[in-house]
Amino acid sequence: MKEKIKNRVGELMPALVEDIKTICNMDSRQDTATPEDPFGKRVTDCLNKALELAARLGFETENVGNQVGIASCGPDTEDYIACIGHLDVVDVGGVWKTDPFVCTEIDGTLYARGVLDNKGPVFCCLYALKTLVDLGYEFPIKVKVMFGTNEESGMEDMKWYFKDHKYPLMGWTPDCKYPVIYAERGRASYRYSVPGEAADELIAFVNRYILNQNDLAVSLGVDYADEEFGKNQVRKTELFHSGDEWGLDLTCSYPASYKLEDMTEALGKLCSGHMSLGLTSNLDPVFFPKDSYLIKTLEKAYEDIMQEDGSAVTTTGGTYAKVIKNIVPFGPSFKGQKGIGHLPDEWMRICDIEKNTQIYACALYELMKGL
């Protein structure tokens, strides 16, 4: 089956590349929300185009509230397998050598905002599903490719959708790196604040604990570490001023074994005088046993195509796996590919698009074969 998958993916590559170019030519940055377009018309238009392309491939499609799009096939089972990516993108930023919303092919590489994060990879999943359909595979369970619209700025799309819909039996989000990710750190954001008349206390705090510090986790008293994840990381520190309030925002990317209440207590001990600490948001860690069916099967799919070790790893990132049960991050970036998604000249090689699609098709096949 592996060779059949590889051959069929190769035959589908021209159409896949063309569809990726089409969807990346659309500016899908979040803009003004309306009742009809919860995350702005640009994202809605991109969602509808993605569903149009999926329908052309023969899939059943559904637009749920202009927040989540679904392309599906297989029997009408209650349980389903899901591949969940997103169509919204971050702002352009910096100087580009090409138009960020004209997907440009140069020497076998596509350049565009969103080509890696996450339009290209979610279309790899769509074409992986198309590959199995074309090979005549009889699906024992429904499979859905789901298009999100708000991953970059809160994941409110999926939080909203899964209030009224069943979580997948298993699946992945193609929005991180290879091999398969079995655990994500938690992500907690805090705010230290003082009233305007006590701004000098904030200045003293920043001078003591933030400026010229080699490791903020150490200076702030949250230098927790474990063998699996490594050190707690404190980043994204930013001063703010709102009305009569002054303060400092920061974010902690914390190991799964570090209790949120312990970290919050440690940070709170640094408050003095008029200063207060508040937890402004938190996404709990994601953790799957390394020997679970999902992890072992995705490891095998990676190894079958790449012919190298696919042992599961952890990540400091944050994906839809934070808010959607039973899914893990899986691809699309290969070893050594870092710092691409949110920077100018975002890119994805066509040969990597092909490898991703092969891996995802094998993963779907292997997951269903074992059910």
Side-chain angles (χ1 to χ4, degrees), residues 44-252:
T44 297
D45 288 347
C46 189
L47 176 62
N48 285 326
K49 175 58 71 171
L51 293 175
E52 176 189 321
L53 296 174
R56 287 183 192 172
L57 295 175
F59 295 112
E60 300 175 16
T61 61
E62 181 183 7
N63 181 331
V64 187
N66 283 335
Q67 296 200 46
V68 176
I70 302 170
S72 61
C73 70
D76 190 22
T77 54
E78 183 179 359
D79 287 327
Y80 64 97
I81 291 173
C83 308
I84 307 174
H86 64 92
L87 298 170
D88 59 308
V89 297
V90 298
D91 206 354
V92 174
V95 178
W96 288 64
K97 64 183 178 184
T98 63
D99 186 327
F101 296 111
V102 176
C103 190
T104 305
E105 182 179 342
I106 303 173
D107 297 329
T109 299
L110 301 183
Y111 294 88
R113 174 56 85 220
V115 69
L116 181 72
D117 187 15
N118 189 233
K119 296 175 178 180
V122 74
F123 268 79
C124 290
C125 293
L126 187 68
Y127 270 77
L129 190 56
K130 170 68 171 170
T131 297
L132 296 184
V133 171
D134 289 356
L135 292 176
Y137 180 70
E138 293 189 14
F139 290 71
I141 187 173
K142 184 174 284 294
V143 179
K144 299 180 181 182
V145 176
M146 303 179 68
F147 302 95
T149 56
N150 183 239
E151 194 275 344
E152 296 290 5
S153 49
M155 307 188 198
E156 298 301 326
D157 52 346
M158 294 300 170
K159 295 175 187 176
W160 170 82
Y161 177 83
F162 283 106
K163 285 181 180 178
D164 300 315
H165 294 84
K166 186 173 183 175
Y167 288 107
L169 178 67
M170 65 185 77
W172 69 81
T173 177
D175 196 18
C176 193
K177 63 182 179 181
Y178 288 115
V180 59
I181 306 299
Y182 74 93
E184 281 188 6
R185 289 164 172 255
R187 183 174 294 180
S189 295
Y190 293 93
R191 169 168 287 186
Y192 286 103
S193 58
V194 296
E197 64 269 18
D200 57 330
E201 293 182 22
L202 178 66
I203 294 172
F205 180 90
V206 170
N207 285 335
R208 180 174 181 181
Y209 296 110
I210 305 299
L211 296 181
N212 301 317
Q213 297 293 334
N214 293 325
D215 188 332
L216 291 179
V218 173
S219 66
L220 292 169
V222 289
D223 53 332
Y224 182 93
D226 66 22
E227 185 174 344
E228 204 151 28
F229 288 85
K231 289 175 59 65
N232 184 29
Q233 298 177 1
V234 180
R235 52 194 183 189
K236 294 185 179 179
T237 55
E238 185 176 354
L239 292 168
F240 80 91
H241 173 218
S242 177
D244 190 44
E245 183 184 23
W246 294 76
L248 173 76
D249 292 327
L250 57 85
T251 297
C252 296

